[in-house]
């Protein structure tokens, strides 16, 4: 393993660009991109970043010139021959040729499109306009660049010994968490930490630690480049982006109400087996499950994201039982702001009642909380979401109104169409 302190001390652009490959992205991005490529590649979409941790003025912490330099470098990247061979020849979820030749031909010639960058009131306005198939590919690298630039800005002020102490403490913290996870029976857990990681090299170290400490209980990583280099599984399914765009394209309320199920119908045609995991919370889990088509009962599982995990898991179990399915044969994946305490609580509550999986994100790959004064290395909740589709605003309601997005009038319309009532605000940790 690398001497991370020395590497951080000696950081330079030549050996350590923040994004070093088009595969330095999450697997779900490629899966969604293939569906977009097949069905909606020319839809005009705008993505934009949003810092939910408003007390952090990221434009004051990150130099605009350095940000442009990293964004511009990411635009020079192309898929290498070895990376293309891995995508064409590897078996993902047990299936070879997961990606069509047509899609991979397109990906081999792809480069990230241009961007627009401005600063306002201490926050960056970073947006990406263009065909959906192109702009969608910016989400993960843009977030990785912003988060690692924050980390580098802090580390630059530390001496080499200070850096060694910081990384030693961070390694100890990760390993202590892994030791606690090792005690959980029938654990299945994956790294979901690309978007808000401390840095690429640190995420790579965390994946190696998980693989060594948990063995077969570690399912793999969402990061395609690390999966390739470390010979672990690439994992992931889909995200809120798909229903948000499908909903924005709807021409009336009836089509809007149907849009989340149209997403799943298309996904079911494109994929199978363990990739059939529904994400129901974009416009409220309760209403989504109440109106779900019968064929959704045959899907592998449900991802519990923005709802309280215990409440969300119980709701999924009630849904499966109401449709005549045995919850013990279904998969519930928990992924929202997890850390070890939450994983232990969830596991104690649901073990034996349902198959459980965990997507462990920011608090695996960016838990440097308390290691430097004033919390300057603490993670922040920055997201990159689709904000407009063919000139129409996109909306996300979520089970947690703290994560809602969209113009107020449209949010109210969506709440009416999807039958969303009063919601409980929950803090957004990461």
């Amino acid at each position: 393993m690398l001497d991370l302190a020395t590497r951080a001390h000696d950081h330079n652009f030549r050996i350590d660009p923040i994004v070093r490959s088009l595969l330095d992205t999450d697997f779900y991005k490629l899966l969604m991109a293939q569906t977009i490529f097949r069905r909606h590649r020319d839809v005009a979409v705008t993505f934009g970043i949003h810092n939910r941790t408003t007390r952090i003025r990221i434009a004051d912490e990150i130099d605009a010139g350095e940000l442009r330099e990293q964004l511009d470098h990411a635009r020079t990247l192309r898929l290498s021959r070895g990376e293309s061979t891995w995508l064409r020849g590897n078996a993902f979820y047990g299936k070879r040729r997961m990606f069509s030749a047509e899609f991979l031909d397109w990906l081999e010639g792809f480069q990230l499109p241009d961007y627009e960058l401005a600063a306002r009131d201490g926050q960056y306005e970073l947006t990406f306009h263009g065909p959906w198939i192109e702009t969608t590919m910016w989400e993960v690298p843009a977030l990785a660049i912003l988060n690692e630039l924050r980390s580098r800005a802090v580390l630059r002020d530390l001496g080499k010994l200070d850096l060694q102490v910081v990384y030693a403490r961070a390694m100890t913290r990760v390993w202590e968490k892994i030791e606690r996870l090792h005690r959980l029976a029938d654990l299945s857990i994956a790294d979901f930490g690309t978007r808000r990681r401390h840095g690429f090299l640190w995420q790579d170290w965390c994946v190696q630690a998980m693989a060594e400490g948990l063995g077969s209980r570690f399912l793999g990583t969402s990061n395609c480049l690390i999966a390739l280099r470390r010979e672990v599984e690439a994992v992931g399914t889909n995200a809120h982006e798909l229903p948000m765009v499908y909903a924005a394209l709807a021409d009336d309320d009836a089509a809007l109400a149907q849009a989340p199920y149209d997403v799943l119908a298309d996904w079911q045609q494109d994929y199978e087996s363990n990739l059939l995991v529904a994400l129901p919370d974009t416009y409220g889990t309760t209403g989504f499950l109440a109106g779900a088509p019968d064929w959704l009962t045959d899907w592998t599982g449900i991802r519990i994201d923005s709802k309280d995990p215990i409440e969300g898991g119980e709701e999924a179990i009630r849904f499966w039982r109401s449709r005549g399915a045995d919850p013990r044969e279904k998969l519930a994946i928990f992924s929202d702001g997890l850390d070890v305490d939450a994983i232990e609580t969830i596991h104690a509550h649901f073990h034996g009642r349902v198959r459980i999986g965990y997507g462990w994100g920011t608090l695996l790959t960016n838990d440097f909380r308390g290691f430097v004064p004033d919390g300057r290395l603490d993670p922040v909740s920055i997201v990159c979401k689709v904000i407009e589709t063919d000139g129409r605003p996109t909306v996300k309601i979520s089970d947690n109104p703290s994560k809602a997005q969209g113009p107020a009038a449209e949010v109210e319309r969506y709440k009416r169409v999807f039958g969303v009532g009063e919601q409980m605000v929950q803090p957004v940790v990461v």
Side-chain angles (χ1 to χ4, degrees):
M1 292 185 177
L2 290 173
D3 179 346
L4 290 165
T6 298
R7 191 67 163 261
H9 184 267
D10 297 340
H11 262 320
N12 67 71
F13 197 99
R14 184 179 62 82
I15 65 170
D16 277 329
I18 290 174
V19 175
R20 55 201 74 201
S21 164
L22 284 178
L23 282 189
D24 187 10
T25 192
D26 281 335
F27 189 58
Y28 81 90
K29 265 296 159 185
L30 298 185
L31 294 171
M32 290 197 301
Q34 180 165 247
T35 287
I36 295 165
F37 180 81
R38 289 172 175 171
R39 303 174 185 278
H40 300 288
R41 71 180 76 171
D42 295 324
V43 169
V45 164
T46 299
F47 278 78
I49 66 161
H50 173 62
N51 179 16
R52 291 170 174 161
T53 314
T54 55
R55 61 181 175 79
I56 300 296
R57 297 168 59 89
I58 59 172
D60 295 341
E61 297 185 346
I62 296 172
D63 179 77
E66 291 185 355
L67 176 55
R68 288 187 182 277
E69 186 178 38
Q70 294 290 346
L71 293 168
D72 290 342
H73 170 76
R75 296 195 65 232
T76 70
L77 298 173
R78 302 292 187 279
L79 207 65
S80 74
R81 180 176 298 179
E83 291 166 346
S84 178
T85 299
W86 181 73
L87 289 172
R88 291 180 184 272
N90 196 47
F92 301 100
Y93 287 93
K95 179 181 178 179
R96 292 199 177 274
R97 291 183 290 277
M98 177 71 77
F99 300 102
S100 71
E102 183 185 15
F103 172 70
L104 290 177
D105 287 345
W106 170 83
L107 188 61
E108 286 173 350
F110 172 73
Q111 76 173 97
L112 289 165
D114 208 350
Y115 60 88
E116 295 182 10
L117 178 65
R120 190 185 308 276
D121 297 328
Q123 304 295 340
Y124 280 119
E125 295 179 353
L126 177 59
T127 52
F128 313 96
H129 309 275
W132 189 8
I133 187 58
E134 296 180 6
T135 53
T136 187
M137 301 298 286
W138 258 121
E139 178 194 1
V140 177
L143 291 175
I145 287 168
L146 286 164
N147 281 283
E148 186 162 351
L149 280 176
R150 284 193 73 241
S151 299
R152 290 187 180 191
V154 175
L155 298 179
R156 193 177 293 127
D157 294 335
L158 303 182
K160 191 169 183 179
L161 181 58
D162 287 329
L163 288 168
Q164 289 174 336
V165 171
V166 165
Y167 279 108
R169 294 175 70 188
M171 289 177 179
T172 300
R173 177 175 285 177
V174 169
W175 194 251
E176 288 174 345
K177 292 181 182 183
I178 290 173
E179 287 179 325
R180 287 171 62 182
L181 292 175
H182 194 274
R183 304 183 191 119
L184 301 182
D186 305 314
L187 178 71
S188 294
I189 191 166
D191 157 42
F192 276 17
T194 299
R195 294 179 302 160
R196 298 190 196 101
R197 67 194 182 196
H198 169 79
F200 173 81
L201 297 177
W202 179 248
Q203 183 184 13
D204 185 45
W205 185 91
C206 290
V207 167
Q208 293 177 73
M210 292 278 281
E212 182 170 329
L214 296 175
S216 62
R217 302 177 182 192
F218 177 55
L219 298 181
T221 175
S222 64
N223 187 287
C224 297
L225 182 61
I226 294 175
L228 166 62
R229 291 185 175 182
R230 298 301 170 191
E231 298 184 330
V232 299
E233 294 294 327
V235 296
T237 52
N238 54 64
H240 302 103
E241 170 187 341
L242 291 178
M244 289 173 68
V245 173
Y246 275 56
L249 292 172
D251 289 326
D252 53 40
D253 286 356
L256 175 59
Q258 183 61 30
Y261 308 120
D262 291 341
V263 170
L264 300 186
D266 287 350
W267 192 263
Q268 185 167 249
Q269 288 184 9
D270 292 347
Y271 302 109
E272 58 188 6
S273 186
N274 286 335
L275 289 174
L276 297 183
V277 176
L279 179 61
D281 71 314
T282 309
Y283 304 117
T285 296
T286 301
F288 175 92
L289 294 178
D294 289 338
W295 47 260
L296 186 63
T297 312
D298 297 327
W299 276 39
T300 302
I302 290 174
R303 180 153 71 95
I304 315 298
D305 191 56
S306 58
K307 182 164 276 192
D308 173 84
I310 302 301
E311 181 183 347
E314 291 292 349
E315 190 167 20
I317 288 173
R318 289 195 298 271
F319 166 75
W320 286 316
R321 285 176 176 163
S322 72
R323 301 296 181 97
D326 184 350
R328 293 172 298 180
E329 297 177 356
K330 296 298 181 180
L331 176 65
I333 298 179
F334 299 88
S335 61
D336 184 29
L338 294 181
D339 205 3
V340 174
D341 289 346
I343 293 172
E344 289 173 336
T345 299
I346 294 166
H347 212 76
H349 188 88
F350 289 110
H351 181 244
R353 302 175 59 206
V354 64
R355 293 166 53 206
I356 312 173
Y358 301 100
W360 193 12
T362 308
L363 295 179
L364 166 64
T365 62
N366 199 0
D367 190 1
F368 287 69
R369 291 173 295 179
F371 290 165
V372 299
D374 302 321
R376 290 181 297 139
L377 268 183
D378 292 8
V380 297
S381 182
I382 306 176
V383 295
C384 183
K385 296 290 187 183
V386 55
I387 56 178
E388 189 177 86
T389 298
D390 274 354
R392 303 176 181 179
T394 57
V395 172
K396 180 185 177 188
I397 294 177
S398 179
D399 288 320
N400 181 359
S402 297
K403 295 184 176 182
Q405 169 191 322
E410 281 296 281
V411 169
E412 290 307 311
R413 174 187 170 227
Y414 275 59
K415 285 184 175 181
R416 173 178 54 79
V417 169
F418 291 105
V420 177
E422 291 296 319
Q423 295 179 295
M424 180 179 298
V425 175
Q426 302 173 61
V428 177
V429 179
V430 286

